[in-house]
Amino acid sequence: MILDNLIAQHKAVPMLIVMPNGDTDGSWAGGSSPEGIETLSQEMLSDIIPMIDRTYRVARGRENRAITGLSMGGGQAFTIGLKHLDLFAWVGEFSSGLVSDTEFRLEKHLPGFLDRPDDVNRKLKLLFLSCGTEDPRYPGQLDLIDNLKQHNIHYVWYPSPGVHEWKVWRHALAEFAQKVFQEAH
């Protein structure tokens, strides 16, 4: 309904949304492990994207493909999207526990990412980050933003009042949807 309303108001462009199950091992935490993220990444690259491209009439190419997610899916989308800038030009994450974890290191999950900010900024049309201001993940999100800022990686930050809840994610989705596949962001 959010996207339908934004499209009707000409605030978002029509798009196909694909929502795979990122629960790669049957537990909420397994999908955030490096192994869980790699399993989902391989499924996305080997099965889901090729199936979408051959089954639906979609515009192909990285400029026409976005990846985003919330909570566990936010960490998955963030790491998969930024590891595969050859496939995704639009990357978002909403309230990711992974990137908010005190043990999270961009260098570990995305080797070399911080070493080439000009290349990253040239390839990314949008890096969108969002979190509820009362979510326990909020301080970790601010740490991530500081790290990106120190390395001159461009991003859009959209905090929203609330905790780790649907209200926050609906606001984030509405904001992200108005920016994705738009040339000016």
Side-chain angles (χ1 to χ4, degrees):
M1 291 175 75
I2 292 169
L3 190 55
D4 285 345
N5 286 328
L6 290 171
I7 291 170
Q9 296 167 19
H10 303 285
K11 292 181 177 179
V13 298
M15 62 187 82
L16 178 69
I17 297 177
V18 179
M19 297 190 299
N21 183 354
D23 186 4
T24 56
D25 78 344
S27 75
W28 67 269
S32 291
S33 70
E35 299 80 19
I37 293 172
E38 184 56 29
T39 297
L40 180 60
S41 179
Q42 288 310 307
E43 183 179 22
M44 294 278 296
L45 304 178
S46 301
D47 298 331
I48 296 171
I49 292 172
M51 186 272 299
I52 295 300
D53 283 350
R54 91 176 154 266
T55 307
Y56 297 94
R57 204 177 78 190
V58 295
R60 296 182 185 196
R62 60 180 300 286
E63 296 83 11
N64 300 303
R65 192 175 297 121
I67 186 169
T68 194
L70 61 92
S71 195
M72 178 180 70
Q76 292 168 333
F78 182 84
T79 54
I80 292 169
L82 295 178
K83 275 185 183 176
H84 298 283
L85 291 176
D86 57 321
L87 295 173
F88 302 99
W90 313 83
V91 177
E93 69 85 11
F94 312 158
S95 309
S96 166
L98 176 69
V99 303
S100 302
D101 185 5
T102 56
E103 303 299 316
F104 179 77
R105 299 289 175 266
L106 271 171
E107 306 79 26
K108 176 185 170 195
H109 288 275
L110 300 167
F113 177 76
L114 296 174
D115 300 337
R116 46 189 172 84
D118 290 340
D119 188 43
V120 169
N121 291 332
R122 183 179 51 76
K123 289 180 178 176
L124 268 177
K125 301 259 186 199
L126 176 66
L127 176 56
F128 184 91
L129 311 169
S130 182
C131 190
T133 56
E134 289 99 52
D135 190 324
R137 292 152 188 82
Y138 191 75
Q141 295 279 322
L142 296 178
D143 290 343
L144 172 62
I145 287 168
D146 286 344
N147 197 1
L148 294 171
K149 194 179 299 182
Q150 288 171 7
H151 289 89
N152 297 313
I153 305 273
H154 301 162
Y155 61 89
V156 170
W157 170 234
Y158 182 76
S160 182
V163 293
H164 202 69
E165 61 184 328
W166 286 106
K167 173 183 79 168
V168 169
W169 302 325
R170 285 191 297 266
H171 287 285
L173 173 61
E175 191 67 23
F176 181 74
Q178 292 178 72
K179 295 181 180 334
V180 72
F181 307 124
Q182 306 287 340
E183 282 309 309
H185 59 273

